[in-house]
Amino acid sequence: MLRLSVPRVGLALAGALLLAYAFVVAPGAWRAPDPGRPVRPAAPGALATADAPAVAAVAFPPAGRAFVGVMTDTGPYDLGAVDRFAAAAGRAPQVMLFGASWASATFDRALFDRIADRGMMPMLGWEPWDHAVDEAARDTGLPARQVDRLRSTQPEYRLARITAGDFDGYLRSWAEGVRSLGYPVAVRFAHEMNGDWYPWCERANGNRPGDYVRAWRHVHDVFAAAGATNVTWVWSPNARWDKTTAGLTGLYPGDDYVDWVGVTGYYGMGAFTKTYSSFDQIFGPTVAEIRALTRKPLVVTETAAAESSGHKARWIRETFASLPRYPNLIGLIWFEVDKEQDWRIAGSPDAAAAFAEAVATDRYDVTWSPAARPRAGP
């Protein structure tokens, strides 16, 4: 916010002019960002001066462009991995996805500001569960499907409890915190809901059909009631790898409750390990299913290729060649983590070169600022 001081002078006219400036012009005025903190928008979606009407903010990303995002293992707590990713990619990411578990995470403005100060739109992966249960399940050394059953069984976090208002105090604390930021943030709530490996999936944890949509709408409405209108709500199912993965019918909350749609998928894990699978093979059927539900802007909210696949660079090149063919696909978030597999491009020269070549085009020449307006359509 631009701060003015009024000199103590004896001229009443000058004082009146200065006061008029402070109360009329300053709330919409802008200055160049300093190294410590970016400019915050005085009013969402517009810039104003005393001599001109408000001008609509630039859409993020602009039409015909797409952003590059990143998710790391340390998130906003340590941005070193982001620096290494940016160096490998030859382009700084414009979105950062990071996770927060309801059992332990309280709203912390510093985390969001740390991301925004680096020119990235924060995207919160908001997860209604106790992440410690997941960690304990993984430590058992059991097969993956047994781990999934253990970590997804958390009765305290059944969807019906969310809808019943049992977490409303917690929701309001986050809603008020997000509202206070004064700049746009994305919230990816309860992702991969069409699986059975999280306690918010309808096929797990004693949940029933219809529970997911009711819980989503309740969370959305709590934020709306708190005035947190600077949220871009991201609904993000998992790419279906076979007919055992649940379809999306009955899981979409509706266009009034969703701003962006997302999809998650990887090459080098699960069903996509035995033979080479292209981006189109992994994502195409699920994107088609999403497009039967909505035309909202689409984001690949998590993806990567495993180093062990032997085709990492090829997969990256072919993926970026495919992306423009998907209408209204506005961004891709790379999973820059060594977890179960090494998904990172940093430290993999061939993968880094392929990625850097792909994102060097004008399509990915995108800048995010707190004044940007998240894209709402084609």
Side-chain angles (χ1 to χ4, degrees):
M1 179 182 293
L2 183 62
R3 297 186 181 275
L4 299 176
S5 61
V6 181
R8 295 186 176 180
V9 296
L11 296 177
L13 179 59
L17 289 173
L18 286 169
L19 287 172
Y21 180 87
F23 286 101
V24 177
V25 181
W30 290 85
R31 57 178 171 80
D34 60 55
R37 185 174 300 281
V39 177
R40 307 298 187 214
L47 301 176
T49 71
D51 301 319
V55 178
V58 175
F60 174 78
R65 303 290 179 97
F67 66 76
V68 174
V70 68
M71 184 177 189
T72 69
D73 56 348
T74 55
Y77 296 96
D78 181 353
L79 295 175
V82 175
D83 294 335
R84 291 187 289 274
F85 172 81
R91 187 182 291 281
Q94 304 96 43
V95 171
M96 184 175 192
L97 172 64
F98 71 103
S101 164
W102 282 21
S104 57
T106 57
F107 177 79
D108 183 352
R109 179 182 182 119
L111 300 180
F112 290 86
D113 284 348
R114 200 170 295 150
I115 296 170
D117 287 351
R118 293 287 296 270
M120 298 181 289
M121 180 181 182
M123 182 182 289
L124 170 68
W126 213 25
E127 303 173 352
W129 71 336
D130 184 349
H131 187 260
V133 175
D134 172 54
E135 294 176 345
R138 292 177 185 274
D139 288 343
T140 62
L142 292 169
R145 292 303 291 157
Q146 292 185 45
V147 169
D148 287 344
R149 283 192 289 273
L150 287 173
R151 72 181 195 158
S152 65
T153 304
Q154 300 188 32
E156 182 180 354
Y157 293 97
R158 281 191 181 129
L159 293 168
R161 294 200 65 212
I162 298 173
T163 306
D166 293 358
F167 297 93
D168 278 6
Y170 180 74
L171 296 180
R172 279 191 293 269
S173 70
W174 275 83
E176 291 164 0
V178 168
R179 181 194 63 202
S180 73
L181 293 172
Y183 54 80
V185 301
V187 175
R188 184 186 72 164
F189 171 66
H191 64 298
E192 299 177 16
M193 75 302 294
N194 58 324
D196 61 4
W197 46 84
Y198 288 125
W200 57 80
C201 298
E202 282 196 347
R203 298 165 65 199
N205 203 30
N207 297 318
R208 298 172 180 271
D211 280 351
Y212 182 83
V213 166
R214 285 189 287 270
W216 177 288
R217 291 178 176 178
H218 181 79
V219 172
H220 178 282
D221 289 348
V222 170
F223 272 64
T229 57
N230 55 324
V231 174
T232 295
W233 292 95
V234 184
W235 179 78
S236 183
N238 197 72
R240 298 181 68 187
W241 56 78
D242 59 31
K243 293 182 180 179
T244 65
T245 312
L248 305 182
T249 301
L251 294 174
Y252 184 61
D255 281 358
D256 290 341
Y257 294 87
V258 173
D259 300 297
W260 291 351
V261 291
V263 61
T264 295
Y266 294 82
Y267 169 57
M269 68 179 299
F272 305 119
T273 54
K274 296 179 181 178
T275 59
Y276 181 78
S277 298
S278 68
F279 179 90
D280 294 332
Q281 290 171 313
I282 295 170
F283 287 90
T286 305
V287 171
E289 198 171 355
I290 290 171
R291 285 304 182 219
L293 298 171
T294 181
R295 308 307 294 179
K296 291 282 187 176
L298 174 68
V299 177
V300 179
T301 48
E302 280 182 51
T303 196
E307 191 69 36
S308 61
S309 69
H311 301 286
K312 190 171 188 173
R314 172 192 172 188
W315 194 86
I316 290 170
R317 284 193 297 269
E318 293 182 357
T319 290
F320 279 96
S322 294
L323 295 181
R325 296 198 292 267
Y326 291 85
N328 209 15
L329 193 155
I330 65 168
L332 175 147
I333 298 174
W334 189 263
F335 191 67
E336 185 72 358
V337 177
D338 184 357
K339 175 186 176 184
E340 298 163 343
Q341 299 271 7
D342 191 351
W343 308 101
R344 299 169 299 174
I345 62 168
S348 176
D350 290 345
F355 201 100
E357 180 181 1
V359 302
T361 64
D362 289 345
R363 174 178 170 83
Y364 301 100
D365 188 10
V366 174
T367 300
W368 180 83
S369 81
R373 171 178 50 83
R375 182 110 139 252

